[in-house]
Amino acid sequence: MPFKRPLRSYTCDDGSLSPSDRPSSSRRIRSSSPRNIEEEKPLLIYILPAKIRPEAMSELVMLVEDYKIERVTMGHQGRGVISELNLQLTGDAEKANIVVTAIHMRQRLERHIDSRIAKTKAIVTPSWLRDSLTSGQPLPYWNYAAVHDLEDETLRHCPDAGQDTSSSSSLRSHSQEKENSWRTEPDEPIEVTEVELLSHKARYSCLRPSPLVCPNQSLVEEINIIRRSRHLEGEERSMLSYSRAISVIKAYPRIITQRDLHDLHELPFLGEKLYSMIQEFVKTGRIAEAQTILADSRFQSLSAFDTIYGIGPHTARRLYDLGLRTLEELEQYYEVIPGASNEETISLLEESTNTEAAVEKTIKIGLALRHDLSHTIPRPEVEEINRTVMQELSHIQKGCKSVIAGGYRRGKPQSNDVDIVITHADWELGSQKVKGLCKKLVQRLHEQGLVTHVMHISGFHEHNALRTHHWDSLEKALTVFAWPHNSSWPRVYRRVDLIFAAPEVFWTAVVGWTGSTMFERDLRLWAKQQKGMKFDSSGISRRHDSKLYYPRTERDVFKVLGLVHVHPTMRNADA
Ligand code: 8GT
Ligand code: MN
């Protein structure tokens, strides 16, 4: 299918748009200090058509063109505001600063662009273009590198980080002027001064800085084996002790050596037993108990069963007690054909129940799709799933916004599933506008063939027993998502969770779904023990008078709870 307009006519190098057509946009307002916009050089974008559907290609071109027209119009209206984003399409990859592509394999890319040239460009996904146009600034590339093998080269071409910060703070002051606006933007860069306010000695993990990978990661992995064993055996208290120990070690700022051992006494939750395990690890690089567990056949079976969606420790033990030992035996027991889940989708119209039949159905889907579901999801695909879901949602309700939460938001390069928290951008009316959307969206995604299974769907549930105000604010669907056969992404089944929140509780929902689990647990504990408040994904309230809080930003969530803002990438308080 041809583009709506031929790509070449938009190239800057053949001069189809005059330089005076370039300035200003209203979307993102920069400082009021005048700049010579005539002299500004645009970023040249080459969109590689291979693997992009013609409609999507056409949409991308139109997005850039519409943006440019809007920018020009604002400039001519003399508003004196200058957009960060000055893009120009080019038909010549060699001249481009940025190559936008749906290709993810280096070899495949090099069929279209010479490797020598590719190395000198930023190679990004179409999401970068869309998200940059939405935010009105050239976003940093780190979440958008299209080709893993060329990530380093791509990041080297990243836009100036300083510019980013200034533009986001000026956006903030701009949006504060507008009564009805609030932040639904992506994460700001991490602020070193904020991290310094946290302490690795704090009792609550929401006061400690917990990076994705810590200096003592191999020790953490070793203790995590013991933790998992306790979890599988249903020994919850013991499991929690190990979880706490892990979360403390995650925040410890340097590699633990013999010399550091006495320091550990200053840390919370490291009792005698843990202390001697750490000592053993420092000496030998191993913890004997963990190694014994790993070699244990019961642990191996229960671990394998526990990887199946729908099977928790309790079910795993029950299956083991029936004499089952391997996943193949489980497949026979449940009469499942691997890879071919024709298991009918759980009714879209009815709320999920926890009946035995419903649980069994979920296990059957989880087992049949286990090979696909065991593959982790790279960041560019997570972003594309979000974008696709939001595009489908826009056909049902305009003006919705989303944040990808979960491990993705904490910086994980690969996720086990995708957690998308959705709201409506209208602070006043959004609550009504998102009501009932979850079911409609899932139905639409199912009709489009994008959602193949629904594991669970539920309507509004309440923040607490106090039936004050419209607190019925979260709807969620736990689904299985798959790309269409003609997509540039492989057809691998992916788990996607869709969570709908009213604007008043959007940021509490995002915080609640960003994790990690121990961070969440300590947020709730902190709120209860130190602040006399109740925190969960569906809201924050004060216990003594049930006062409800409606934070407009994520920072507000932390502020209301009396906490320093912890950047999402510092909330990795689990192994
Ligand atoms: P992964 O998906 O790569 O494994 O990593 P993850 O994103 O950290 O794990 P997750 O299992 O997807 O959980 C993401 C966060 O959502 C966790 O912090 C967890 O506490 C939270 N979460 C659920 N399920 C539910 C739920 O039903 N309600 C609420 N409020 N939060 C939940 O996982
Ligand atoms: Mn997740």
Side-chain angles (χ1 to χ4, degrees):
M1 196 172 125
F3 308 137
K4 282 187 184 162
R5 292 180 239 168
L7 188 56
R8 192 169 301 130
S9 70
Y10 303 122
T11 61
C12 83
D13 26 332
D14 62 22
S16 65
L17 285 177
S18 72
S20 62
D21 282 338
R22 283 188 208 128
S24 307
S25 164
S26 61
R27 292 195 209 190
R28 187 146 291 212
I29 299 195
R30 228 180 113 77
S31 73
S32 56
S33 65
R35 296 196 272 175
N36 192 343
I37 48 187
E38 305 289 318
E39 282 171 13
E40 233 191 296
K41 276 189 93 173
L43 275 174
L44 294 180
I45 309 286
Y46 173 73
I47 307 176
L48 178 65
K51 283 256 172 196
I52 298 183
R53 279 175 294 116
E55 309 90 274
M57 183 75 185
S58 162
E59 179 224 330
L60 285 173
V61 170
M62 294 301 288
L63 277 177
V64 175
E65 288 311 309
D66 288 350
Y67 185 86
K68 275 170 37 178
I69 291 165
E70 193 185 335
R71 203 168 179 258
V72 169
T73 315
M74 302 315 278
H76 286 170
Q77 286 171 354
R79 304 218 184 158
V81 289
I82 302 167
S83 161
E84 287 278 326
L85 194 61
N86 185 5
L87 298 182
Q88 191 73 259
L89 293 169
T90 173
D92 183 350
E94 194 160 359
K95 290 200 173 113
N97 307 103
I98 299 168
V99 173
V100 173
T101 179
I103 290 175
H104 307 295
M105 304 279 289
R106 184 176 183 162
Q107 277 174 326
R108 206 167 266 187
L109 181 78
E110 289 174 358
R111 281 187 214 159
H112 304 276
I113 299 176
D114 188 275
S115 63
R116 202 175 29 82
I117 297 172
K119 270 196 223 159
T120 65
K121 314 288 175 195
I123 315 279
V124 298
T125 59
S127 299
W128 175 85
L129 187 54
R130 291 192 182 95
D131 293 353
S132 293
L133 289 166
T134 306
S135 65
Q137 62 179 337
L139 293 176
Y141 301 141
W142 53 68
N143 287 342
Y144 300 98
V147 178
H148 183 67
D149 283 355
L150 291 170
E151 200 173 354
D152 288 349
E153 285 81 357
T154 296
L155 296 186
R156 223 172 284 141
H157 296 97
C158 222
D160 182 327
Q163 258 190 349
D164 272 343
T165 322
S166 73
S167 76
S168 66
S169 54
S170 51
L171 171 81
R172 222 173 9 255
S173 52
H174 170 62
S175 50
Q176 274 156 6
E177 287 160 25
K178 288 169 67 189
E179 177 64 11
N180 216 19
S181 68
W182 53 296
R183 277 184 67 92
T184 51
E185 275 74 28
D187 295 323
E188 299 162 38
I190 192 158
E191 281 188 27
V192 177
T193 47
E194 266 178 0
V195 178
E196 283 168 356
L197 292 173
L198 303 170
S199 162
H200 71 276
K201 295 179 187 168
R203 282 191 69 78
Y204 297 88
S205 60
C206 47
L207 290 169
R208 300 193 292 258
S210 312
L212 186 61
V213 179
C214 73
N216 297 288
Q217 196 63 31
S218 46
L219 168 61
V220 163
E221 309 286 340
E222 196 81 351
I223 299 175
N224 196 37
I225 296 166
I226 308 173
R227 188 200 66 84
R228 277 202 295 131
S229 158
R230 302 296 190 265
H231 176 59
L232 291 169
E233 296 297 352
E235 297 161 19
E236 290 302 305
R237 279 175 70 98
S238 175
M239 182 205 74
L240 189 56
S241 307
Y242 285 102
S243 297
R244 289 214 177 284
I246 286 171
S247 74
V248 169
I249 298 168
K250 277 297 292 254
Y252 196 73
R254 54 186 176 274
I255 296 177
I256 300 171
T257 63
Q258 201 68 40
R259 267 183 306 150
D260 299 281
L261 285 175
H262 70 275
D263 274 5
L264 301 186
H265 290 301
E266 289 179 30
L267 304 182
F269 306 116
L270 297 182
E272 271 315 307
K273 191 158 178 207
L274 257 308
Y275 184 80
S276 60
M277 280 180 178
I278 297 171
Q279 223 171 6
E280 181 189 351
F281 186 85
V282 168
K283 218 187 254 172
T284 68
R286 285 277 170 264
I287 298 172
E289 186 175 346
Q291 295 303 311
T292 308
I293 288 171
L294 271 188
D296 179 60
S297 64
R298 177 178 162 95
F299 173 77
Q300 290 167 2
S301 292
L302 294 180
S303 283
F305 296 175
D306 188 52
T307 62
I308 303 303
Y309 186 84
I311 300 185
H314 183 79
T315 308
R317 293 196 301 273
R318 190 173 56 78
L319 294 167
Y320 188 90
D321 289 346
L322 291 174
L324 301 165
R325 296 292 179 266
T326 66
L327 291 175
E328 289 70 26
E329 287 169 7
L330 243 54
E331 280 167 359
Q332 283 169 12
Y333 176 80
Y334 281 105
E335 296 172 345
V336 161
I337 304 162
S341 165
N342 292 325
E343 196 63 35
E344 63 277 39
T345 296
I346 291 173
S347 169
L348 297 176
L349 297 169
E350 283 165 36
E351 296 248 331
S352 304
T353 56
N354 262 342
T355 61
E356 215 169 295
V359 171
E360 180 160 330
K361 216 176 223 179
T362 304
I363 295 175
K364 281 181 160 189
I365 298 170
L367 254 180
L369 305 183
R370 71 181 166 98
H371 293 286
D372 275 17
L373 296 183
S374 69
H375 288 125
T376 53
I377 318 170
R379 296 179 71 86
E381 188 179 347
V382 172
E383 287 148 21
E384 200 69 4
I385 290 174
N386 172 52
R387 204 191 57 70
T388 304
V389 165
M390 293 310 286
Q391 180 145 25
E392 291 302 326
L393 179 59
S394 71
H395 294 287
I396 303 169
Q397 177 65 259
K398 294 245 172 299
C400 290
K401 303 272 180 194
S402 69
V403 163
I404 309 170
Y408 168 90
R409 191 155 182 261
R410 302 197 310 276
K412 278 175 79 170
Q414 302 276 336
S415 297
N416 289 308
D417 67 4
V418 184
D419 307 291
I420 305 176
V421 185
I422 303 169
T423 187
H424 194 279
D426 188 326
W427 181 262
E428 298 296 327
L429 304 173
S431 170
Q432 283 311 307
K433 289 185 176 176
V434 294
K435 226 184 184 120
L437 269 190
C438 184
K439 206 171 274 182
K440 285 186 196 154
L441 174 63
V442 170
Q443 225 147 7
R444 186 180 166 96
L445 292 169
H446 183 54
E447 282 157 19
Q448 305 284 326
L450 290 162
V451 158
T452 56
H453 302 80
V454 182
M455 306 295 212
H456 170 99
I457 187 159
S458 60
F460 298 125
H461 63 79
E462 307 219 331
H463 170 63
N464 57 22
L466 314 159
R467 300 191 186 271
T468 43
H469 214 64
H470 53 301
W471 198 252
D472 43 348
S473 47
L474 291 186
E475 297 180 325
K476 71 179 175 190
L478 315 183
T479 72
V480 176
F481 178 100
W483 295 106
H485 288 285
N486 61 354
S487 153
S488 66
W489 299 97
R491 192 174 162 83
V492 180
Y493 291 102
R494 305 301 201 183
R495 281 264 309 105
V496 174
D497 293 344
L498 305 168
I499 303 102
F500 281 81
E504 308 87 282
V505 293
F506 176 67
W507 282 112
T508 54
V510 171
V511 171
W513 279 82
T514 295
S516 68
T517 306
M518 186 49 75
F519 190 91
E520 298 298 328
R521 180 185 276 272
D522 278 352
L523 267 184
R524 289 194 294 271
L525 210 59
W526 165 268
K528 182 178 168 186
Q529 293 180 338
Q530 303 295 328
K531 296 285 155 183
M533 292 168 105
K534 179 175 161 65
F535 169 86
D536 67 38
S537 295
S538 65
I540 307 174
S541 56
R542 195 160 63 190
R543 282 178 183 266
H544 77 90
D545 60 359
S546 313
K547 177 181 155 65
L548 301 166
Y549 294 85
Y550 300 136
R552 290 198 179 209
T553 65
E554 187 174 63
R555 269 173 202 285
D556 274 358
V557 174
F558 284 86
K559 209 154 127 191
V560 165
L561 294 172
L563 290 166
V564 176
H565 175 249
V566 183
H567 195 270
T569 57
M570 285 292 151
R571 298 182 205 163
N572 291 287
D574 291 80

